[in-house]
Amino acid sequence: DGRPADTGPDTIGHVRQIVFLTDGAIGNEQQLFDTIAARLGRSRIFMVGIGSAPNSHLMNRAAELGRGTFTHIGSTAQVEARMRALFDKLESPVVTDLRAVFSEAKADVAPGVLPDLYRGEPVVLAAKAGALSGTLTLDGMIGDRPWTVTLPLDKAAKGEGISKFWANRRITDAEVARTLGEITPETADRHILALALRHGLVTRLTSLVAVDRTPGRPQGA
């Protein structure tokens, strides 16, 4: 009927975890993306690609839309270890419904929707802000109890490469918005190209060129 699949009274306070296993041989990618976006509700989707050549575009994009993760299993010898690790993670959600709120600075946060926090696996977000002032408040749910922590931004340590990480995440968000039809392909391409060129990133619209300046003959020859 088009409604999210987990909105009934028996699902209140619960998160449905869907594990989708495939060899990636799926032709109706857009239909799958549209279905996930329209009917995800509170569910989380975890993609498992099996074989030597899974459709990584499909897997990663579906996991991104489903607020889950993508697990690649290249050979049958890896099945037990990879699936055991996945189910150990699924059995241990620490914080769900994560949000990040900046008190003062208007921040551009990526990813736009944060995934859940699982035991032994960090959640990494990046934000572009005008100034390191005020606080960053993270909140979510631990089971049925609310959880929150507030961090002073002026105490943040400097690091290298953060801007590239932020730009790469914003590019992914633009690709997802393009997939869902939230922005036109032309608008998405403009955003992606501007971010890639400014931050020196490889995307489907940009590449890097390496120039070898090693001398090819003896000096003076």
Side-chain angles (χ1 to χ4, degrees), residues 152-170:
L153 291 179
D154 59 357
K155 302 296 184 183
K158 292 186 177 181
E160 298 294 329
I162 298 174
S163 62
K164 289 182 181 292
F165 179 81
W166 170 83
N168 194 57
R169 289 297 323 188
R170 293 297 292 130

Side-chain angles (χ1 to χ4, degrees), residues 88-142:
D88 284 347
K89 181 174 71 174
L90 297 187
E91 290 171 359
S92 307
V94 178
V95 183
T96 59
D97 296 328
L98 273 173
R99 295 188 312 152
V101 179
F102 289 79
S103 65
E104 294 183 13
K106 183 179 180 181
D108 188 342
V109 182
V113 179
L114 295 178
D116 297 329
L117 176 66
Y118 290 90
R119 185 180 64 193
E121 183 170 307
V123 168
V124 180
L125 64 94
K128 180 180 179 181
L132 286 178
S133 60
T135 60
L136 165 62
T137 299
L138 297 169
D139 62 51
M141 299 294 294
I142 298 179

Side-chain angles (χ1 to χ4, degrees), residues 4 10 25-26 35 38-39 56 62 71 83 97 100 102 109 114 117 126 136 164 177 179-180 182 191 198-199 202 206:
D10 58 334
I26 297 176
T35 300
R39 307 200 61 194
S56 59
T71 300
M83 293 304 294
D97 296 328
F102 289 79
V109 182
L114 295 178
L117 176 66
L136 165 62
K164 289 182 181 292
T179 295
L180 298 179
E182 295 173 351
H191 290 331
R198 182 174 181 180
H199 295 276
V202 175
T206 58

Side-chain angles (χ1 to χ4, degrees), residues 25-151:
I26 297 176
N28 57 335
E29 292 182 2
Q30 190 61 50
Q31 183 180 2
L32 177 63
F33 297 148
D34 292 344
T35 300
I36 293 173
R39 307 200 61 194
L40 182 67
R42 291 185 304 274
S43 298
R44 307 292 189 266
I45 297 179
F46 298 84
M47 304 296 291
V48 179
I50 301 173
S52 58
N55 185 335
S56 59
H57 166 78
L58 168 69
M59 302 286 137
N60 282 301
R61 189 62 50 79
E64 183 90 14
L65 293 173
R67 299 175 67 180
T69 58
F70 166 43
T71 300
H72 177 218
I73 301 177
S75 68
T76 55
Q78 299 174 328
V79 170
E80 182 176 359
R82 295 289 174 87
M83 293 304 294
R84 185 180 300 277
L86 174 61
F87 284 115
D88 284 347
K89 181 174 71 174
L90 297 187
E91 290 171 359
S92 307
V94 178
V95 183
T96 59
D97 296 328
L98 273 173
R99 295 188 312 152
V101 179
F102 289 79
S103 65
E104 294 183 13
K106 183 179 180 181
D108 188 342
V109 182
V113 179
L114 295 178
D116 297 329
L117 176 66
Y118 290 90
R119 185 180 64 193
E121 183 170 307
V123 168
V124 180
L125 64 94
K128 180 180 179 181
L132 286 178
S133 60
T135 60
L136 165 62
T137 299
L138 297 169
D139 62 51
M141 299 294 294
I142 298 179
D144 57 357
R145 294 179 293 110
W147 169 87
T148 184
V149 62
T150 300
L151 306 172

